[in-house]
Amino acid sequence: RDASSSRTQQLSAPAASSSAGAVAGAGASLAHRVNALQVRNKKLEETIRRQHVTITKLKSDVQKKSALIQHHLTGIALTGRSTAEQDQHRMKRAAKEGGLMAALFGGSGGTPDFDTDMLAEVNAKISRVLEETILQNVQLKTDLETIGEEVRRLEERNKELGDQLAELQKS
């Protein structure tokens, strides 16, 4: 019995040591994987944090630009854009031609198919075009200011170079 049990112990000892090695290897592999996931998680959290900062800045920019647009819209004088005579001519022409223009300008030639929903849709489209035009005008104004600053800077640099050239010619 002793010989047989010692033989069983000898056979099971290598199996136990190999399974312990496998468990240790699997544990090390698992620890390595957990570590890699933690590193990736930290990188992703940092990316998310940066994205939140960017979003906050962009929202702030949009709010500033909206305020600027509102300021410019309130400063636009609507009177004096057309005379009463021009408005009368527009209404007469719209009434004569009928269709959408008659419905928009109050001519009597409008057809019943031009309901308030369609007029609201046309009005929304016109408003979008107006907003886009105003945004383009604001961008053009900014571009002109930038170009003006660049011209001023170049003129100053040109003057400096001219002064340096004059000094060199004197020497």
Side-chain angles (χ1 to χ4, degrees):
R1 270 185 158 180
D2 287 334
S4 134
S5 68
S6 72
R7 176 140 174 99
T8 306
Q9 287 176 355
Q10 288 174 354
L11 289 176
S12 63
S17 67
S18 69
S19 70
V23 169
S29 174
L30 186 59
H32 181 347
R33 176 94 170 116
V34 166
N35 186 32
L37 287 173
Q38 286 175 341
V39 168
R40 184 166 185 245
N41 188 31
K42 287 186 190 252
K43 286 180 183 178
L44 289 174
E45 285 174 351
E46 179 61 24
T47 302
I48 289 170
R49 188 194 61 77
R50 279 185 274 141
Q51 292 296 329
H52 281 297
V53 169
T54 302
I55 288 169
T56 303
K57 287 179 183 177
L58 290 174
K59 282 182 181 178
S60 173
D61 286 349
V62 166
Q63 288 173 348
K64 288 177 186 176
K65 289 176 183 178
S66 294
L68 180 66
I69 290 170
Q70 286 298 324
H71 174 72
H72 284 289
L73 286 177
T74 56
I76 295 174
L78 297 178
T79 57
R81 297 287 179 190
S82 67
T83 64
E85 185 178 303
Q86 289 172 332
D87 290 342
Q88 285 293 346
H89 175 69
R90 194 175 296 123
M91 279 199 247
K92 284 179 187 175
R93 184 173 164 204
K96 185 170 90 176
E97 293 176 7
L100 180 62
M101 296 308 287
L104 286 175
F105 289 110
S108 59
T111 61
D113 345 342
F114 297 114
D115 60 357
T116 56
D117 291 337
M118 190 179 80
L119 292 176
E121 182 181 332
V122 169
N123 187 21
K125 287 180 182 179
I126 291 172
S127 295
R128 280 194 298 272
V129 168
L130 176 64
E131 288 173 5
E132 289 174 10
T133 303
I134 290 171
L135 285 173
Q136 289 173 351
N137 288 344
V138 169
Q139 182 64 44
L140 286 172
K141 181 182 176 194
T142 304
D143 291 346
L144 283 173
E145 289 171 355
T146 304
I147 290 171
E149 290 172 7
E150 184 68 15
V151 166
R152 182 189 52 77
R153 187 187 66 77
L154 290 172
E155 286 174 343
E156 288 175 1
R157 181 68 179 143
N158 191 21
K159 186 178 185 297
E160 290 172 6
L161 290 173
D163 294 344
Q164 288 175 359
L165 182 64
E167 285 180 25
L168 287 173
Q169 289 175 348
K170 287 180 184 178
S171 326

